[in-house]
Amino acid sequence: MNKLLKLLVLMSIILLAACGTDSKDKLTVATDAAFAPFEYMDKGEMVGFDVDLLAAVMEEAGFDYELKNTGWEPMLASVQGGDADLAIAAITINDDRKESYDFSSPYFESTHMVVFPEGENITSAEDIKGLKIGVQTGTTGADAAEKIVGKNDESISKYESNSLAFMSLGSGDVDVVVTDNVVASEYVKNNPEAEVDMINDQEAFESEFYGLMFPKDSEVRAEIDAALQTVIEDGTYAEIYEEWFGTEPNLDALKSASK
Ligand code: ARG
């Protein structure tokens, strides 16, 4: 081979390597960071269980990403419209949403709770009938409340964020808030001055599972889901879980839910 040819071959090898399968697009991930302890703002930074889990999964999958705090409804719209490649926000996987989105396998089990001012005589989900109820709009907490008092019942106030619902409980604009159990306990624990209490009701509130949410026919879903499985199996998930919740995760529950 003459020198020029050698050089050409070498150059094409370098070029091929540079644009090989390993160079990936930077992904946009949307969230609604007002849902402690899953995602919330702390000193100007987004933190939470989901934030750490996302970092581990994306590292495993080998994707660069930008996490954007869009708020809840804009988040849903941006995933559906394909502006975001995925979303993580304690998002419940359900049949309704499966019509418009794809999901990862389940990564967290949840249910709902009723939060109310200390001393109120609320002992079951039925007791919210006749009270003013606050929920975050477009969430399964809103669905759970509507299952009890009726769809679009005027006793329900729907807020753009879960924090706004809690604020309305504080100011007395609503009598109770229905929200995800871990978020309810975190709020009760971290806000003693709010003097609120909570109950669960296993008969009224079903168990549900969170998943990463993708646009329909997402090209990255399978790869990211595989990375999530690895992170669950290699102990990284348990580490993050223990850091945030102080207990060990029930991996069997997740496994049987993903079937
Ligand atoms: N799990 C509930 C749902 O999917 C509430 C999620 C709210 N998440 C949030 N980051 N605000 O509807």
Side-chain angles (χ1 to χ4, degrees):
M1 258 194 263
N2 69 34
K3 261 193 189 153
L4 186 65
L5 199 60
K6 264 192 199 161
L7 195 69
L8 266 172
V9 170
L10 197 71
M11 272 170 59
S12 34
I13 288 173
I14 292 171
L15 244 166
L16 271 175
C19 52
T21 50
D22 263 359
S23 75
K24 292 175 165 179
D25 287 339
K26 184 170 182 175
L27 301 184
T28 302
V29 187
T31 192
D32 171 27
F35 211 59
F38 293 98
E39 46 271 323
Y40 59 101
M41 301 305 297
D42 185 24
K43 300 179 196 90
E45 232 188 285
M46 259 186 276
V47 297
F49 173 78
D50 282 350
V51 176
D52 288 351
L53 179 64
L54 176 73
V57 169
M58 294 306 238
E59 193 190 340
E60 177 61 37
F63 280 111
D64 262 352
Y65 66 96
E66 186 189 350
L67 182 58
K68 282 192 184 160
N69 184 14
T70 60
W72 180 252
E73 289 195 301
M75 173 195 83
L76 297 176
S78 69
V79 176
Q80 197 166 13
D83 292 327
D85 298 291
L86 67 151
I88 186 165
I91 304 167
T92 300
I93 306 169
N94 63 26
D95 289 342
D96 240 19
R97 290 176 180 162
K98 278 187 191 164
E99 284 177 19
S100 321
Y101 306 93
D102 281 346
F103 286 92
S104 69
S105 1
Y107 72 84
F108 195 90
E109 184 170 9
S110 172
T111 184
H112 290 102
M113 282 205 188
V114 182
V115 185
F116 53 88
E118 262 170 28
E120 290 299 321
N121 187 25
I122 294 174
T123 56
S124 79
E126 284 289 309
D127 291 340
I128 69 172
K129 280 184 178 161
L131 299 179
K132 283 182 281 172
I133 305 161
V135 295
Q136 182 178 14
T137 189
T139 60
T140 55
D143 298 341
E146 289 187 324
K147 227 174 106 184
I148 295 164
V149 300
K151 197 154 180 63
N152 294 321
D153 191 86
E154 56 179 24
S155 66
I156 299 187
S157 301
K158 296 177 178 173
Y159 297 92
E160 194 180 300
S161 81
N162 196 66
S163 321
L164 286 174
F166 279 145
M167 276 164 70
S168 298
L169 183 64
S171 64
D173 286 339
V174 297
D175 304 313
V176 298
V177 165
V178 178
T179 189
D180 295 26
N181 61 332
V182 175
V183 173
S185 341
E186 180 84 356
Y187 182 73
V188 171
K189 186 181 83 194
N190 288 347
N191 296 278
E193 76 293 344
E195 302 184 335
V196 287
D197 221 334
M198 68 199 169
I199 55 137
N200 60 4
D201 182 334
Q202 283 173 359
E203 253 144 62
F205 298 134
E206 285 162 19
S207 143
E208 50 184 51
F209 287 88
Y210 299 161
L212 307 180
M213 180 186 249
F214 298 85
K216 274 259 168 246
D217 303 316
S218 154
E219 278 168 17
V220 294
R221 197 203 69 87
E223 207 175 337
I224 291 176
D225 193 41
L228 171 63
Q229 289 318 312
T230 306
V231 162
I232 290 176
E233 274 154 29
D234 73 6
T236 312
Y237 173 90
E239 233 171 74
I240 299 170
Y241 191 102
E242 278 162 39
E243 209 170 287
W244 283 99
F245 307 117
T247 52
E248 276 177 32
N250 178 353
L251 297 181
D252 291 337
L254 286 188
K255 249 185 224 145
S256 39
S258 53
K259 274 169 199 149

